[in-house]
Amino acid sequence: MIISYSPQCPEQQVATASQASAHDVAEAADHARRAQRSWAGTPAEQRASVLSSVADAVATASAELTDLVVTEVGKPCAEAAGEVQRTIALLRYYAQQALDPVGSVHEPTGPGLLYTRRRPLGLAGLITPWNFPLAIPVWKLAPALAFGNAALLKPAPQAIGCAMRMSELFAARLPDPALLQLLPGGAATGSAVVEHADAVSFTGSDAVGRTVVRNAATAGRRVQAEMGGQNPAIVLPDTDPIAVASMITGAALTFAGQKCTATRRVIAVGDPRELRDALIAAVTELPWGDPADPATVAGPVIDARACDIMSRAIDEARHAGGRILVGGHRAESDGHFFSPTLVDGLPPEHPLTRREVFGPLLLLQHAASLDEAMTLANQTPFGLVASIHTNDLSAALEAADHLEAGQIRVNAPTTGAAVHTPFGGMKGSSYGEREQGKAAQHFYTSVHTVAVRGLRAPGTAQQRMLSSERDHDT
Ligand code: NAD
């Protein structure tokens, strides 16, 4: 049985579901494939209208969905409401994208017509994390369905309630509910999804992502994986330290730092004292606690294991000579609360500056120059997001050219992404094609080149023969 518990109130069960076995996944894949055949032939306008009606349904249910996100994953309510709005925006965006061109016409090599056309791949296997329990499933599901596929959705067990509710909203509006198969479970269910899908889209930790990529590649499946980050924010001395500290503290610690795009390190260029004082003030004043309180910006971490990971990271930092400037402890509470934490003085090559700790931990590093700051910023196996804060346009552009990250933000928080732009990272943060924006159409379709020979070809017999030989060259 899959059971989710509220992180702020761990005794409270939020949702339960039966675990899907490998056999269940095989059966679900069968049903979905059968339903997909007629969905692929449904006019794009009709697919668009289904997604629009799911968007309307999410909008109608937005208060209920917001409460569910707050209760199930402890996301502060203002952010949970924002996630619901983003989910609606994603559905409306992909409803329109269903009507995008699906190919192009090329100059033929002889008389006739030469064109490319994108067709649905078939069955998309979607494996999702708990931290955006509505938006991430939808940013995979919506394009998969928009372009004529069926889907197997394997959500994170910690967010099964959100996935069940979202699936109900889809199922009631799809012409055949079998097009979306919700498969509750853990690693074994996820592995079975990889085995049965034509394309696998994964979001989650790098350790699991690497396994999923390996298994999918071995089975010959198309695969994309969006994984973790160790995202740096470089701060030059020409900025207002109080404003920058406030922006970075928000990017690092809202939702208790449980975003792949959260800032994990601030790299202060030059004299760090003013920025350090401003960060200490901002982190100290950050409202944290009950996620249902509209004033809260950092709630609990997801579970007891996440609390332990934070405690171990703090011990490691202390042992390595790091100074805990703010926080560094669990709260006296039944919930999984850990105080927003700021650490200074770790050796530049300490493992904590390189790996992802998925919780409310922000490290402060120091650099003498922009070059040194960029070297520090890039010293991680990840490359999801990086930000630079400066009034110097040349410095900003240089950083945009050299920071090893898929998303580069200038005077903007590392968190946040537009629904219509490609999202993903470099190095260990991502594998395969980008998600979202126009990139989604490529992932969920296959391209076919069609050559139509004109029956009444003009020209001499010799010209017709030559053009036919050119066709056969490859
Ligand atoms: P996770 O890797 O533990 O789990 C992700 C999903 O994979 C879950 O559904 C899980 O049940 C499933 N899974 C586990 N083992 C599997 C296996 N062997 N085969 C197939 N599926 C398997 O991640 P999580 O704790 O749910 O989420 C947090 C992580 O997600 C963080 O590392 C965060 O950075 C990352 N994340 C990345 C992005 C991004 O877009 N880059 C966005 C959100 C979260």
Side-chain angles (χ1 to χ4, degrees):
M1 190 62 87
I2 298 294
I3 306 174
S4 65
Y5 296 91
S6 184
Q8 51 273 26
C9 194
E11 304 288 288
Q12 184 189 345
Q13 283 191 10
V14 182
T16 57
S18 306
Q19 176 148 342
S21 65
H23 175 72
D24 296 334
V25 176
E27 255 187 18
D30 242 30
H31 295 315
R33 279 189 192 285
R34 253 178 270 138
Q36 191 264 339
R37 282 182 212 123
S38 50
W39 180 241
T42 304
E45 262 181 313
Q46 203 175 320
R47 286 185 254 128
S49 111
V50 167
L51 290 180
S52 295
S53 74
V54 179
D56 293 342
V58 173
T60 305
S62 56
E64 171 214 336
L65 288 167
T66 301
D67 285 349
L68 183 56
V69 172
V70 173
T71 310
E72 192 167 46
V73 301
K75 187 169 284 197
C77 55
E79 271 203 80
E83 180 173 347
V84 173
Q85 291 310 309
R86 186 171 177 195
T87 303
I88 299 166
L90 284 159
L91 285 158
R92 295 209 194 289
Y93 173 69
Y94 286 112
Q96 293 309 302
Q97 236 198 68
L99 304 171
D100 268 8
V102 289
S104 46
V105 178
H106 300 258
E107 286 295 344
T109 54
L113 179 63
L114 182 61
Y115 66 94
T116 57
R117 172 145 201 257
R118 292 196 161 269
R119 302 200 319 223
L121 272 179
L123 186 55
L126 313 176
I127 302 176
T128 55
W130 53 265
N131 68 329
F132 284 87
L134 303 176
I136 292 184
V138 165
W139 85 45
K140 296 177 191 295
L141 255 180
L145 292 168
F147 301 120
N149 301 282
L152 306 176
L153 173 62
K154 212 303 286 168
Q158 300 93 327
I160 190 62
C162 289
M164 282 160 59
R165 188 67 187 104
M166 185 53 72
S167 298
E168 278 169 18
L169 296 176
F170 272 90
R173 283 150 192 91
L174 286 165
D176 183 344
L179 284 165
L180 165 56
Q181 301 282 336
L182 177 68
L183 298 161
T189 311
S191 298
V193 165
V194 172
E195 195 181 314
H196 288 281
D198 298 309
V200 176
S201 180
F202 168 88
T203 300
S205 62
D206 62 313
V208 175
R210 279 197 298 269
T211 306
V212 166
V213 166
R214 214 171 23 246
N215 292 346
T218 307
R221 310 285 181 254
R222 181 179 293 190
V223 58
Q224 68 180 183
E226 286 305 333
M227 297 166 276
Q230 222 298 357
N231 312 306
I234 295 178
V235 182
L236 268 68
D238 63 354
T239 48
D240 169 0
I242 293 175
V244 172
S246 154
M247 181 185 285
I248 291 177
T249 299
L253 300 170
T254 52
F255 189 27
Q258 299 172 111
K259 297 178 192 173
C260 57
T261 52
T263 304
R264 305 283 175 208
R265 290 175 289 150
V266 191
I267 305 173
V269 178
D271 185 345
R273 283 174 297 183
E274 278 192 312
L275 181 64
R276 183 167 47 217
D277 290 349
L279 281 168
I280 291 172
V283 177
T284 307
E285 285 158 19
L286 191 88
W288 62 288
D290 178 7
D293 179 343
T296 297
V297 299
V301 291
I302 189 69
D303 50 24
R305 184 174 159 265
C307 247
D308 291 345
I309 288 172
M310 275 299 296
S311 295
R312 281 203 298 275
I314 302 303
D315 289 347
E316 245 184 279
R318 281 207 175 94
H319 283 131
R323 291 185 300 142
I324 315 300
L325 300 179
V326 185
H329 56 84
R330 287 172 194 246
E332 297 286 323
S333 152
D334 292 338
H336 305 303
F337 289 94
F338 204 100
S339 58
T341 300
L342 178 65
V343 173
D344 189 11
L346 278 178
E349 295 186 357
H350 191 273
L352 280 174
T353 67
R354 293 167 182 225
R355 72 169 194 259
E356 179 187 61
V357 175
F358 209 57
L361 174 63
L362 178 63
L363 309 178
L364 178 57
Q365 296 187 288
H366 307 267
S369 64
L370 176 59
D371 271 358
E372 191 186 331
M374 286 197 290
T375 304
L376 279 177
N378 291 338
Q379 259 175 22
T380 156
F382 294 104
L384 191 56
V385 199
S387 68
I388 174 152
H389 303 262
T390 179
N391 288 315
D392 179 343
L393 181 60
S394 311
L397 292 178
E398 195 176 333
D401 279 350
H402 294 106
L403 285 172
E404 293 169 0
Q407 320 286 311
I408 293 170
R409 319 259 300 164
V410 177
N411 295 325
T414 51
T415 47
V419 297
H420 56 286
T421 54
F423 181 79
M426 293 175 67
K427 303 195 286 187
S429 287
S430 290
Y431 182 92
E433 284 199 53
R434 293 278 188 263
E435 287 200 275
Q436 302 192 70
K438 297 288 185 192
Q441 190 199 47
H442 282 208
F443 186 74
Y444 292 105
T445 57
S446 61
V447 70
H448 302 261
T449 305
V450 182
V452 183
R453 172 57 48 91
L455 287 178
R456 285 195 292 146
T460 63
Q462 191 191 16
Q463 281 168 337
R464 286 199 292 273
M465 201 177 72
L466 277 175
S467 106
S468 139
E469 274 171 7
R470 268 204 306 274
D471 269 3
H472 290 143
D473 272 355
T474 50

